[in-house]
Amino acid sequence: MGARKIPRSQAHSALPRLAQHGVSRRSFMRVGLASAGALSAMGSPWLALAGQGGGRGGGGRGEIPDAVRMGDLTCAPAYVDLGDGRLRGVLAYNGKFPGPTWVVWTGDTVKSTLWNRLNEPTITHWHGLHVDPANDGGPRLAIGPGQSYDYSFPIVQRASLNFYHPHPHMLTGKQVCLGLAGAFIIRDKEEDALNLPKHPYEVPLVIRDASFDSQGNLLYNPTSSGFAGKFPLVNGKLKLKMNVNQGVYRFRVLNGANARVFKLALSNGAAFTVIGNDGGLLATPVNGVTQIELGMGERLDLLVDFSALGAGQSVMLRCLSARWDLLQFVGTGETGIAYSAPTTLSTIKPLVGPSQPTRTFSFDGMSRINGLRYDMERIDFRVPFGVVERWRFKTGGNAPHPVHVHGASFQVVSRTGGRAKVFDWERGWKDTVLLNDKEVVDVLIRFDAYKGLYLIHCHQLEHEDMGMMSNFEVVDAQTGSLGISPFTSTR
Ligand code: C2O
Ligand code: CU
Ligand code: CU
């Protein structure tokens, strides 16, 4: 078929010595559940844990993961039950697949230590969070096996659903695919005042695809067009079923796939009400949405009303493009909660910026932006702090390219060519926008949280690993960047 494997990572040898970023990095001293020697065996990382139990990822059908307070993270191989009663090897955060769903509040200070118990470098990025570069988990901050990384950052943004996952150069696709990913919820007073459905009526849904090796362990076997898993997983489960009462549910949906865009719909044609996306609440709810496309790394906040679903009746959440059933909702016949979204959810101040692009990014082939492959040591452009710029994303092909920016959210202002519109659910604040072939997408963006080094990249993870990623630096608007050490981070 001509499909070629992407090159095996050379990250071990290619990793430069890490610059210090004012965040302490202490060496691994605790005694792990498996010896470092066992874990460093090449090949299948799960063999090392055979017979030791490993972490069981909870399980059971219909289980609704409740969010928990932020804590430390350990990346390690684990065995989990994907819902069919069989233990399968994955890479897991804290033994869970997906990782624990964190919840924090705006104004909190998050402290978390990441422990690397893999046999290769890793680092965790908080996709969607506005944090300083030392806490952003970019590839330059990767830590080796046995090492740890201390994160400490304030939550300076509004309520939203975010996504944490590894970001080591050339290993992101593999590590995410093998299981390292989780949801990260920020709450705030504005959202709280809306009295939206709460647990168990608020349900995170991390959707992705997966393939298995002959032992049933998660398998990463990408081709040059990206990883295409054979089965859908929702919250780390195959054929997930969820019992629903007759009422309204709030689904916090995250596309955690490496390279698959989902087109979500309900099997009975019922509509979603979209109340939020990557950057939190929309200004107004979007009612009557019967199908919705969700690119890799994008998020949606959906209300679904099951009040007409009788006991024993069921509805499927489907992906229309893959023709997959993702999740089965089964009616209990019990009374749920009534909720109708207010006509105004939030006030979103439109960014005011240039009508012509400040910069244009061409997502070329499968591995380049503006003709360049990612180089960890090269800064491709500098952006003035606090200034609204208009960024234009275009492509010569090989899309979908979900374009993702670290360090700030943006507002999508236009899409020409292809689907030729900005969908209502792409309004508000986004950090990832889907760019299809023949499309040109313009966004307005302003970096007003931190200065320093950030990334723009394609969130098709194989494209990212092959180099469709670029370093840029946010610098003081007045003094410019000359003479500033490329990797300094300043508040
Ligand atoms: Cu979700 Cu730079 O990544
Ligand atoms: Cu990100
Ligand atoms: Cu791409």
Side-chain angles (χ1 to χ4, degrees):
M1 302 204 304
R4 126 191 108 76
K5 295 269 204 267
I6 64 170
R8 277 194 74 92
S9 167
Q10 288 129 36
H12 283 283
S13 54
L15 250 152
R17 294 178 57 155
L18 295 160
Q20 289 296 323
H21 289 258
V23 172
S24 67
R25 203 174 279 110
R26 42 177 204 256
S27 51
F28 177 62
M29 282 186 290
R30 289 197 292 215
V31 179
L33 50 84
S35 74
L39 285 181
S40 68
M42 291 303 285
S44 169
W46 304 293
L47 290 175
L49 284 181
Q52 295 188 32
R56 284 191 91 122
R61 301 191 308 188
E63 182 198 19
I64 299 168
D66 194 10
V68 291
R69 295 289 301 184
M70 182 82 193
D72 288 349
L73 284 175
T74 300
C75 297
Y79 278 103
V80 298
D81 179 354
L82 306 190
D84 60 355
R86 170 168 183 189
L87 286 181
R88 298 167 187 272
V90 303
L91 300 181
Y93 280 118
N94 297 0
K96 291 188 183 303
F97 169 62
T101 299
W102 301 126
V103 60
V104 301
W105 283 72
T106 302
D108 284 358
T109 293
V110 165
K111 286 193 194 300
S112 178
T113 299
L114 171 73
W115 298 90
N116 180 0
R117 290 183 189 165
L118 309 176
N119 57 15
E120 60 188 23
T122 194
I123 191 68
T124 300
H125 166 61
W126 322 98
H127 176 135
L129 264 67
H130 304 162
V131 298
D132 68 283
N135 281 290
D136 195 44
R140 286 187 59 85
L141 303 177
I143 53 170
Q147 291 188 302
S148 67
Y149 195 95
D150 291 335
Y151 295 91
S152 172
F153 52 86
I155 303 295
V156 298
Q157 68 200 93
R158 64 204 290 261
S160 49
L161 169 65
N162 301 287
F163 178 20
Y164 65 95
H165 63 75
H167 219 306
H169 188 33
M170 300 167 87
L171 292 169
T172 299
K174 171 187 169 191
Q175 292 183 9
V176 170
C177 186
L178 294 184
L180 293 168
F184 190 122
I185 292 173
I186 300 175
R187 303 202 190 281
D188 67 9
K189 291 205 179 95
E190 183 197 32
E191 186 201 64
D192 202 41
L194 295 180
N195 237 322
L196 286 157
K198 293 185 176 56
H199 181 79
Y201 298 101
E202 180 193 19
V203 186
L205 296 179
V206 179
I207 304 179
R208 54 164 290 180
D209 53 354
S211 289
F212 303 108
D213 68 14
S214 55
Q215 266 85 57
N217 302 320
L218 282 187
L219 173 69
Y220 183 53
N221 57 346
T223 67
S224 60
S225 49
F227 172 80
K230 294 205 171 87
F231 306 95
L233 291 178
V234 176
N235 294 343
K237 297 284 186 283
L238 292 157
K239 299 190 175 158
L240 185 65
K241 278 190 193 182
M242 179 183 155
N243 291 330
V244 291
N245 294 342
Q246 292 182 303
V248 176
Y249 281 76
R250 178 185 186 194
F251 294 106
R252 315 294 305 270
V253 190
L254 156 55
N255 180 344
N258 282 41
R260 183 181 294 276
V261 176
F262 290 98
K263 191 182 265 185
L264 303 175
L266 292 165
S267 57
N268 61 356
F272 305 112
T273 296
V274 188
I275 59 167
N277 58 15
D278 309 354
L281 292 169
L282 297 170
T284 53
V286 187
N287 293 300
V289 177
T290 52
Q291 28 178 285
I292 187 164
E293 249 181 338
L294 188 63
M296 300 78 89
E298 287 189 302
R299 286 89 74 204
L300 285 172
D301 197 340
L302 303 176
L303 298 179
V304 178
D305 188 350
F306 290 111
S307 52
L309 195 69
Q313 294 183 327
S314 73
V315 176
M316 288 287 185
L317 177 68
R318 288 217 160 112
C319 172
L320 299 180
S321 24
R323 302 196 187 168
W324 277 343
D325 286 336
L326 302 172
L327 163 58
Q328 184 179 13
F329 299 108
V330 182
T332 61
E334 280 162 43
T335 310
I337 52 163
Y339 186 82
S340 68
T343 48
T344 301
L345 295 164
S346 182
T347 306
I348 292 179
K349 247 185 132 185
L351 291 175
V352 179
S355 57
Q356 290 306 309
T358 318
R359 311 167 194 280
T360 299
F361 302 85
S362 181
F363 292 79
D364 302 331
M366 290 174 293
S367 60
R368 286 163 206 274
I369 299 175
N370 292 341
L372 295 174
R373 266 176 196 252
Y374 180 63
D375 176 343
M376 224 186 308
E377 305 303 329
R378 188 188 68 225
I379 297 180
D380 294 326
F381 58 103
R382 293 191 161 86
V383 184
F385 181 81
V387 175
V388 179
E389 294 198 336
R390 188 183 184 104
W391 289 11
R392 175 162 292 176
F393 307 138
K394 58 178 197 169
T395 176
N398 297 294
H401 303 294
V403 178
H404 171 55
V405 182
H406 290 212
S409 304
F410 51 72
Q411 295 178 354
V412 184
V413 291
S414 69
R415 177 185 282 111
T416 54
R419 292 170 295 160
K421 65 186 271 199
V422 179
F423 296 92
D424 289 336
W425 52 83
E426 294 178 303
R427 303 286 176 187
W429 292 101
K430 296 271 293 164
D431 53 60
T432 309
V433 65
L434 191 57
L435 179 68
N436 276 351
D437 281 341
K438 304 196 169 65
E439 293 183 352
V440 178
V441 173
D442 279 14
V443 305
L444 292 174
I445 189 164
R446 180 178 62 204
F447 292 84
D448 49 18
Y450 299 97
K451 295 170 199 164
L453 186 75
Y454 291 106
L455 292 168
I456 177 172
H457 63 87
C458 177
H459 221 282
Q460 203 265 37
L461 298 182
E462 286 69 41
H463 289 179
E464 171 184 336
D465 279 341
M466 288 190 283
M468 193 174 269
M469 179 154 72
S470 188
N471 278 323
F472 63 91
E473 189 185 15
V474 177
V475 298
D476 193 283
Q478 272 73 48
T479 61
S481 62
L482 293 177
I484 293 184
S485 152
F487 298 108
T488 29
S489 136
T490 41
R491 291 267 161 98

